[in-house]
Amino acid sequence: MKRERMLAGLALAVLLTAGASGTALAAGWVQENGVWKYTDSQGNYVTNRWEQSGGKYYYLGSDGVMVTNAWVEDQYYVGADGVMASNCWLKMNTAADGKEAGWYFLTSSGKMKTDGWETINGREYAFDSDGRMRYGWFFDDEDIYYLGGPDDGAMKTGWRCLAYDEEMEPDDGDVSEQYSAAGEESRWFYFQSNGKAVHADDEEYKRTTIDNKKYYFDENGVMASGWIAAEDDAESGDSTGISRFIYLGTENEGNMYQGTWVYLDEHPWTSDDEDAIEEGDDEECPDEGENAWYYLENDGTPAYLKSTADSMNDATTKVGSSSYFFNEYGVMRTGLIKLSVDGKNLVGYFGDDSPYDTNPDSYMRTGRQTIYDDAGDRYTFYFGTSGSNKGAGYNGERDDYLYYEGCLVEAEDGQDYEVFFVDGDAYLVNESGRVQTSSKAYRCDGDYMYRISGGKIYYTDDDGEAEDEVTDGDGSALPEVVYHEEYDL
């Protein structure tokens, strides 16, 4: 509210007369002892009544004297010249005539505006039942408004960052300092074109779209940020409740992240949301301050490992042209990962755990891969390249080599050949893991040990002739690989 406009609105009308004492105005006005009175046609002084002169209204009090600088009938105001004020602001610096200090507005009829909204010079103002202009926070039943400071009062719209203490919520008339950014002492609010703050009613959060972005607000109108539980119920296959969560960026962003990677040191189990999920173990759930990658789907929820997954394809999430592995808490995981699904083992490899400044490249690997475990031991793996088992460790013979859960199976150094059983089938492999198929006798450390005949593998005598068929219980132990992580579904 501009001061110069207020003063102009309060400008008093011209003096009743410029004449000397005792000179009567138009019919009925007389001045006695420095005060103005009005006589009727009988010469009696008029009392407790409005009289008009020159298009202006004046009030005669109970003593017949024209009232000045006072409230009349508790709804009108007359200035120093006695003229009824109209279409203007009036500021009471101190309480008087039963009126509290503050701003009042006299309408075009001169009557004080009370109990409601008024459009004044294109701006909206609210007034209480006593006519005083409201300011600060205004709570009208379920609606929340902010009206600025004591000398402002105009209804606010759009984004406002205001001082806010969650432990000491504002009351009607409280004034909050305005900030340029949210922090420990301030929060963002959004006031619609009608001045009402977006806020939750019966639900925990109210979602609204502003400038094509989705925001969430709590019951007090505070814009939510970080991780929040936006849904009451988890999706089918969600064992932790992570599907209830979305990420809303920093306290100065607040918009829902969708279809994007985020690298965060705050997590759903460390959030301030009262419905924060229970934290898992340290390997699955990084601590607050420890960064982790998440991928937010198009609906804003994190990608996560579903308990219903029964293939590597179901256990991973495709982002662009690559697939990634996320645990049941939505955290992207790397390395060699083993899944146990209904007694079946699925093994996948998702790169190393090097930090990334941009989108992670720990995508699902396919085909033949060389992998090192934490001890520095080197392994060769083969992962499926197509179908539902794409990325899953291969079992059996592939390109003349034998694999078990993706790991290359090799005869022990110095053994030359060994027999291994994979999925019930016998394979004779050399120290390089190559599968032997030629029908002949095979020596181990210089002595005959095995013979392949008719597609079957036999033990031999000293001359290399077939004796007993090698059975499942006679095969060598399959390789034991140390996985970075293992999951039971």
Side-chain angles (χ1 to χ4, degrees):
M1 183 185 302
K2 294 184 178 179
R3 174 64 55 193
E4 55 268 29
R5 191 177 71 239
M6 297 173 189
L7 295 178
L10 288 173
L12 299 176
V14 296
L15 292 175
L16 287 168
T17 179
S21 174
T23 303
L25 284 174
W29 286 103
V30 295
Q31 189 180 50
E32 296 179 355
N33 300 320
V35 296
W36 286 99
K37 296 184 178 182
Y38 190 87
T39 59
D40 60 17
S41 59
Q42 303 299 316
N44 299 317
Y45 291 123
V46 172
T47 62
N48 300 317
R49 194 173 79 189
W50 289 100
E51 289 294 338
Q52 184 180 19
S53 178
K56 297 179 173 59
Y57 287 89
Y58 303 84
Y59 192 79
L60 289 309
S62 59
D63 58 358
V65 176
M66 182 186 73
V67 178
T68 60
N69 293 324
W71 287 95
V72 176
E73 298 175 345
D74 201 38
Q75 299 184 77
Y76 302 87
Y77 189 80
V78 292
D81 56 0
V83 176
M84 181 180 71
S86 64
N87 200 31
C88 65
W89 286 99
L90 173 67
K91 184 176 183 181
M92 300 286 293
N93 290 316
T94 59
D97 296 334
K99 293 288 188 292
E100 296 292 330
W103 284 96
Y104 297 80
F105 186 76
L106 292 312
T107 64
S108 58
S109 68
K111 189 174 182 179
M112 173 183 67
K113 173 63 181 177
T114 61
D115 201 19
W117 292 90
E118 185 79 6
T119 302
I120 304 171
N121 295 327
R123 305 180 77 181
E124 301 294 328
Y125 298 85
F127 297 86
D128 64 20
S129 58
D130 294 324
R132 189 170 63 157
M133 180 194 77
R134 296 182 182 275
Y135 59 87
W137 291 96
F138 174 35
F139 300 93
D140 187 12
D141 292 329
E142 299 299 322
D143 297 324
I144 302 173
Y145 302 86
Y146 188 70
L147 308 175
D151 290 327
D152 180 358
M155 180 184 78
K156 299 299 178 276
T157 61
W159 287 106
R160 298 280 169 166
C161 187
L162 301 172
Y164 190 79
D165 185 346
E166 295 177 352
E167 297 181 358
M168 189 178 295
E169 297 170 1
D171 292 324
D172 266 328
D174 286 348
V175 176
S176 293
E177 181 180 354
Q178 296 202 46
Y179 290 79
S180 60
E184 292 184 2
E185 300 178 349
S186 57
R187 295 291 184 271
W188 283 103
F189 299 80
Y190 185 78
F191 299 93
Q192 302 168 86
S193 59
N194 60 7
K196 297 178 182 179
V198 179
H199 69 98
D201 293 321
D202 298 330
E203 69 274 31
E204 187 170 357
Y205 293 101
K206 172 71 173 180
R207 187 175 87 168
T208 191
T209 299
I210 304 171
D211 296 332
N212 296 319
K213 295 180 179 180
K214 294 180 176 63
Y215 297 85
Y216 286 73
F217 298 84
D218 68 14
E219 62 182 356
N220 299 312
V222 176
M223 181 195 77
S225 62
W227 291 101
I228 68 165
E231 301 295 335
D232 293 331
D233 301 315
E235 297 175 350
S236 175
D238 175 8
S239 62
T240 65
I242 188 64
S243 64
R244 298 168 49 240
F245 277 77
I246 59 173
Y247 181 68
L248 301 174
T250 68
E251 58 192 3
N252 286 303
E253 292 176 318
N255 57 285
M256 183 171 74
Y257 277 46
Q258 300 171 268
T260 187
W261 287 98
V262 288
Y263 189 53
L264 304 174
D265 62 0
E266 55 179 321
H267 313 287
W269 47 91
T270 65
S271 75
D272 294 331
D273 194 292
E274 61 183 19
D275 292 326
I277 62 177
E278 185 175 349
E279 182 177 1
D281 62 40
D282 291 341
E283 291 184 359
E284 293 181 310
C285 296
D287 295 329
E288 185 171 8
E290 182 181 354
N291 282 84
W293 280 103
Y294 298 85
Y295 182 77
L296 288 313
E297 305 272 21
N298 289 332
D299 64 357
T301 59
Y304 65 94
L305 174 63
K306 295 177 175 59
S307 61
T308 54
D310 60 2
S311 68
M312 188 58 70
N313 189 56
D314 286 342
T316 56
T317 298
K318 193 167 186 178
V319 180
S321 59
S322 300
S323 294
Y324 298 81
F325 181 80
F326 302 87
N327 67 16
E328 62 267 49
Y329 291 92
V331 179
M332 188 200 76
R333 310 308 291 168
T334 62
L336 194 61
I337 293 174
K338 180 179 179 179
L339 307 176
S340 296
V341 182
D342 295 332
K344 177 178 66 175
N345 292 332
L346 301 175
V347 178
Y349 180 60
F350 299 88
D352 59 31
D353 58 357
S354 300
Y356 309 101
D357 294 329
T358 57
N359 291 356
D361 64 357
S362 292
Y363 55 87
M364 181 174 72
R365 303 313 202 253
T366 61
R368 193 176 175 99
Q369 301 286 328
T370 298
I371 300 173
Y372 293 87
D373 65 14
D374 292 338
D377 294 329
R378 177 181 179 277
Y379 296 88
T380 298
F381 276 77
Y382 189 89
F383 303 97
T385 58
S386 62
S388 62
N389 284 322
K390 181 179 180 180
Y394 196 84
N395 267 8
E397 183 181 351
R398 176 81 188 194
D399 299 331
D400 298 329
Y401 288 89
L402 180 63
Y403 299 91
Y404 172 67
E405 295 182 357
C407 185
L408 179 66
V409 181
E410 303 168 298
E412 186 179 349
D413 289 344
Q415 288 292 99
D416 295 319
Y417 301 97
E418 284 188 83
V419 175
F420 297 91
F421 281 83
V422 175
D423 292 339
D425 296 325
Y427 299 89
L428 181 66
V429 301
N430 63 15
E431 294 177 8
S432 298
R434 183 178 289 274
V435 176
Q436 308 302 302
T437 58
S438 298
S439 296
K440 66 176 187 178
Y442 293 84
R443 295 176 183 272
C444 293
D445 197 22
D447 297 323
Y448 287 114
M449 179 67 70
Y450 303 106
R451 174 176 284 277
I452 295 179
S453 178
K456 296 182 179 181
I457 304 172
Y458 297 88
Y459 292 112
T460 68
D461 58 18
D462 292 341
D463 297 324
E465 297 300 321
E467 290 189 327
D468 298 326
E469 183 179 356
V470 179
T471 61
D472 196 345
D474 296 333
S476 297
L478 291 165
E480 293 186 5
V481 179
V482 177
Y483 301 95
H484 293 100
E485 293 181 6
E486 298 186 38
Y487 296 84
D488 290 322
L489 299 181

